Amino acid sequence: MNALLELRNIRHAYGKQVVVKDLSLTLKKGAIGCLLGPSGCGKTTVLRSIAGFEPISAGEILINGVAISNANICVPPERRQIGMVFQDYALFPHLTVSANVGFGLHRMQKSERAARIVEVLQTVGLTDTAAKYPHQLSGGQQQRVALARALAPRPDLLLLDEPFSNLDITLRGRLSLEVRDILKSQNATAVLVTHDQDEAFAIADEIGVMQHGEIQQWDSAYNLYHRPARRFVANFIGEGVFLPGKMLDPHHVQIELGVLQGKIPHHCTPDCQLCCKGYAVDVLIRPDDIVHDDASHVQAAVMQKAFRGANILYTLRLPAGGIALSLVPSHHNHAIGEKIGIRLEAEHVVAFTQSAPSGTPGGTR
């Protein structure tokens, strides 16, 4: 794979405080990557290092195979062929939409510049706003103007720093899908930084979940949810609970609700303790693994309920005292304290050794 962007063991520190620790990733041309994690995990520092706003103390950053940052080189931001969409959009209030979009095109001939402005405004669906000023636009329109301005010079790489954080949740969800469509239509290579899982899932092809300056797992949204490689990822992505279990053999684990079957994880060795009979594990159970079934002999008591429109998220107390979550169609409206029938339907089994602290590798299946 020919990587457009490559980070090789980059490190960044403020004095003695290390913010990014030996972080590596690759992104091919036309792919959309995302750095996802809680506040303070180092994701924005990585983005700023790629952009050239922060130097790195070790490692190397390459675009199209050419080093733009290492311990000896720091190519200025304006020479990196990188476009950036900032959290606050950073539009020029005294310039029209057309002038904002064309701001970085001063080296083009006047006719070529005008044609490119029209082209990118058509791409983002804002042709009719060309003569307006930023204060005359909605938040969603301003966000698309910022995207158009970043795309206009045809950068090798586009960086997006929490681009939807100033928008309401409904608009955020719609624009996430629109932005992905726009980026894909332009075959743009992009890196998004966000703490919002829904944004990451809607936009990115590959997602790196970060903690303490390190990528805990770089993978598709599907694998992060169903096949988390580390306990931190399992806790951070989606919703779920850990139930105690015991390994019966390398393919089966016993929990309170029954026996789960899964494949031996690729990183397990024949002498892996996790696969030993009787070994204690924590098994991740997602809300969609617990199905409401009135005919089931297994009964769980409703402890809490959260109405979500089409669904209700129930917090349930299991017969032996364990706690589980279940996402149930909202026409099944049960009262707190009521007992309901449930059954287990887990297609992906994720188990970690009970002694593994959060954020460390555990066996998964």
Side-chain angles (χ1 to χ4, degrees), residues 228-295:
R230 296 180 177 227
R231 185 181 292 256
F232 174 80
V233 178
N235 275 321
F236 186 76
I237 296 294
E239 296 172 302
V241 297
F242 285 101
L243 293 178
K246 288 192 180 296
M247 297 301 303
L248 301 179
D249 59 44
H251 299 278
H252 299 84
V253 57
Q254 174 80 54
I255 64 171
E256 177 182 347
L257 294 173
V259 176
L260 297 174
Q261 182 176 354
K263 296 180 180 178
I264 298 174
H266 65 84
H267 54 269
C268 268
T269 58
D271 60 347
C272 175
Q273 282 189 315
L274 184 69
C275 297
C276 295
K277 182 176 181 179
Y279 194 78
V281 293
D282 288 327
V283 180
L284 177 66
I285 300 297
R286 299 288 194 189
D288 46 313
D289 294 331
I290 306 290
V291 178
H292 180 277
D293 183 357
D294 288 328

Side-chain angles (χ1 to χ4, degrees), residues 27 135 275 332:
L27 197 64
H135 72 272
C275 297
H332 294 287

Side-chain angles (χ1 to χ4, degrees), residues 56-69:
I56 56 175
S57 56
E60 195 167 37
I61 301 174
L62 302 94
I63 292 183
N64 290 318
V66 177
I68 57 171
S69 281

Side-chain angles (χ1 to χ4, degrees), residues 13-14 75 85 89 120 129 161 164 187 199 242 320 325 330 332 350 352 363:
Y14 296 105
V75 175
V85 179
Y89 314 139
V120 291
T129 69
D161 184 13
F164 309 107
N187 195 33
E199 285 179 18
F242 285 101
L325 302 175
S330 60
H332 294 287
V350 180
F352 296 88

Side-chain angles (χ1 to χ4, degrees), residues 27-287:
L27 197 64
K28 64 182 180 180
K29 181 174 176 58
I32 304 172
C34 176
L35 296 174
L36 172 67
S39 297
C41 70
K43 58 187 185 295
T44 297
T45 300
V46 173
L47 199 76
R48 289 177 60 82
S49 297
I50 297 171
F53 301 144
E54 300 280 355
I56 56 175
S57 56
E60 195 167 37
I61 301 174
L62 302 94
I63 292 183
N64 290 318
V66 177
I68 57 171
S69 281
N70 56 36
N72 302 311
I73 299 171
C74 188
V75 175
E78 66 273 14
R79 292 176 50 202
R80 295 192 176 203
Q81 287 295 305
I82 290 176
M84 189 151 187
V85 179
F86 296 93
Q87 186 172 347
D88 60 358
Y89 314 139
L91 299 177
F92 300 109
H94 63 289
L95 298 181
T96 63
V97 166
S98 180
N100 264 285
V101 172
F103 184 80
L105 306 179
H106 55 276
R107 294 183 180 178
M108 289 184 177
Q109 296 291 333
K110 187 175 180 181
S111 59
E112 184 185 4
R113 183 172 181 267
R116 180 58 178 163
I117 291 170
V118 170
E119 181 184 359
V120 291
L121 284 179
Q122 286 176 340
T123 298
V124 300
L126 291 176
T127 305
D128 58 347
T129 69
K132 292 184 178 180
Y133 290 86
H135 72 272
Q136 297 175 301
L137 306 179
S138 68
Q141 289 173 319
Q142 290 182 35
Q143 193 270 345
R144 282 187 282 164
V145 172
L147 180 60
R149 184 179 62 184
L151 287 170
R154 295 186 176 90
D156 291 332
L157 177 68
L158 187 67
L159 306 178
L160 301 99
D161 184 13
E162 300 271 7
F164 309 107
S165 60
N166 294 328
L167 305 176
D168 65 69
I169 191 167
T170 302
L171 184 59
R172 195 182 305 168
R174 193 185 82 234
L175 277 176
S176 296
L177 297 174
E178 289 182 7
V179 166
R180 177 177 170 83
D181 288 343
I182 291 168
L183 294 176
K184 288 299 181 181
S185 72
Q186 299 290 295
N187 195 33
T189 309
V191 178
L192 165 75
V193 158
T194 184
H195 64 275
D196 188 303
Q197 295 177 35
D198 292 336
E199 285 179 18
F201 290 176
I203 296 177
D205 301 309
E206 298 177 282
I207 301 167
V209 178
M210 287 191 63
Q211 182 195 30
H212 303 322
E214 299 176 304
I215 291 180
Q216 300 295 317
Q217 186 172 348
W218 179 266
D219 219 324
S220 66
Y222 183 91
N223 284 341
L224 292 174
Y225 185 85
H226 289 294
R227 300 187 181 101
R230 296 180 177 227
R231 185 181 292 256
F232 174 80
V233 178
N235 275 321
F236 186 76
I237 296 294
E239 296 172 302
V241 297
F242 285 101
L243 293 178
K246 288 192 180 296
M247 297 301 303
L248 301 179
D249 59 44
H251 299 278
H252 299 84
V253 57
Q254 174 80 54
I255 64 171
E256 177 182 347
L257 294 173
V259 176
L260 297 174
Q261 182 176 354
K263 296 180 180 178
I264 298 174
H266 65 84
H267 54 269
C268 268
T269 58
D271 60 347
C272 175
Q273 282 189 315
L274 184 69
C275 297
C276 295
K277 182 176 181 179
Y279 194 78
V281 293
D282 288 327
V283 180
L284 177 66
I285 300 297
R286 299 288 194 189

